[in-house]
Amino acid sequence: MAETTFEDFIVLVRRSGLPHDDVDLELLFDGYLKLQGMIASLRRPSDLTTGLAVGFQPEPVE
Amino acid sequence: MSPLTIAEAGRKLAAKTVSPVELTRECLDRIEALNPTLAAFITVTGERALADARAAEERMMKDQRRTPLDGIPIAHKDLFETAGILTSAHSRILQDNVPSSDATVVRRLADAGTVMLGKLATLEFALAGPSFDLPWPPARNPWNPDYFTSGSSSGTAAAVACGMALGGTATDTGGSIRGPAAMCGVSGIKPTFGRCSRSGVIPLAHTLDHIGPMAWTAQDCALLLQEMAGFDPSDRASADVPVPDFSGEIGKSLRGLKVGVVAHFHERDNPVSEETAVAVSQAIEILRDGGAVVSDVKLSSLAEYSSANRVIMNAEAAAYHEQTLRSRFRDFGERLRHRLLLASFMTSNDYIQAQRRRRELCDEFAQAMETVDVLITAASASEAPLIEDVPFWDGLEKPSFALPWNLTGYPAIAVCMGFGPKGLPLSVQIGGRPFGEATLFQVATLLETSTPWRQRRPVLCSS
């Protein structure tokens, strides 16, 4: 995946619709890269074993 | 006079050689003298405290003390709702927020007979700081006020370290009990997920938030947790499990206890200072001398645990604050509004991938804990930093020793294990099995009673 540039990031901020007056965008971009680094390290291969939010088990039959 | 521990005060109260009113006045005097420097308290409830103390004194004189905590002065982190008393989350957003009821844990501690001294500083909404643009300043380290307390239970740690309160409540989503405990040289436990009710506590991240106590010693934490713990149907995460005698294992031999050392956490993944490495080694030797069997344990890297925790925590925090961020953006402090804005750029995919990695890490952690009773590693890499030097993105920088235990929900305690060259505390962390807090108190108390560190208080205490 191509690395986000500062210019891409400015577009992301503006399109988000979130307030960003009085925000230091360079500082925010620095944090964004740190967080994106963490996110990139968490990408998992597709499988059916780690995505379960609930784990219902059938009641044992007497 | 050096502040008493909760256990010491309890013995004196039981023997009627000290009164709850005397204890409370001592704390209030220390608050008056030290809070202008340390900013540990946001709100001091002096009249309420003295009323609580007089009621406890009446019970004491009639030999009707309710619990070992009856008459003990404590304070609450300002995330815990308190009926009729400001609950601010250390934020301008809630600077007029006066709840109509107590958080479950606040109510339980009041029912136990504790004296409420007031409400304690935190990082803004427990997430970002230290901040100097909020209605209240950040708490400062009692060992040297130029230094950071760590966060977010910063006021609780500072207040306990210098005896402004004998104990206090705290929360831990990403190390917010164990970090400040380590930096301020006190004991703090993050119990098992579900052990203490979160009902009435302002959330940070709902799948990672834990409630726990902080005090001068592990034994005092056990006494506090005894009254805080228990099932509460109003918290969906509350665990309906028995509450054991948390002090019951203290003083018993460690013979045969299996201790796992996660050496790569503090040697390679986030290398600690030379002094902290020595402190960890000394702690391991004390446990070995006490009869424990020590072995190495290998887990995924600290960075992987940290990344999963931080992505989930920031995403859940952004969801909680979404509406307020849009409507009152400038009422947040600079650090928190930047953090929440940043967190808002994460996608649902990012959150889902982090939860899936969490599942894998939890499985790995559970497997490791089948082979040992406790794990040991550092609680922090070194002494506290200068408060002015805390990075803007503190919390997104180096991997944190605390986070594997938030991610998995397993319990962990921080224990003071000496002092560094700047005269600031060093600390180790002991992690246990689910609902195995009593073992943590046993191990932590052995470390505290085998070393001289619990005899030393901040110089400010005696000035």
Side-chain angles (χ1 to χ4, degrees), chain B residues 123-155:
Chain B
L123 304 185
E124 188 175 16
F125 280 104
L127 183 56
S131 299
F132 298 88
D133 58 349
L134 305 178
W136 306 272
R140 287 175 177 269
N141 196 310
W143 298 91
N144 184 335
D146 291 337
Y147 287 81
F148 190 35
T149 51
S150 186
S152 65
S153 304
S154 40

Side-chain angles (χ1 to χ4, degrees), chain A residues 9 13 16-19 21-24 27-28 30-32 34-35 38-39 41-42 44-45 47 50, chain B residues 307-308 310-311 325-326 329-330 337-338 341-342 344-346 350 353-354 356-357 360 392-393 396-397:
Chain A
F9 179 67
V13 173
S16 72
L18 292 164
D21 54 318
D22 203 21
V23 165
D24 181 336
L27 186 63
L28 193 66
D30 176 47
Y32 179 79
K34 289 180 195 298
L35 198 54
M38 290 182 198
I39 289 166
S41 74
L42 297 170
R44 316 307 309 151
D47 64 57
T50 57
Chain B
S307 295
R310 284 168 173 165
V311 168
L325 190 69
R326 290 180 186 279
F329 185 68
R330 294 175 70 94
R337 65 176 179 262
H338 276 75
L341 192 53
L342 186 67
S344 302
F345 298 142
M346 283 192 290
D350 300 335
Q353 296 290 34
R356 294 178 69 208
R357 183 66 182 129
E360 293 174 340
F392 190 84
W393 296 115
L396 297 183
E397 302 282 351

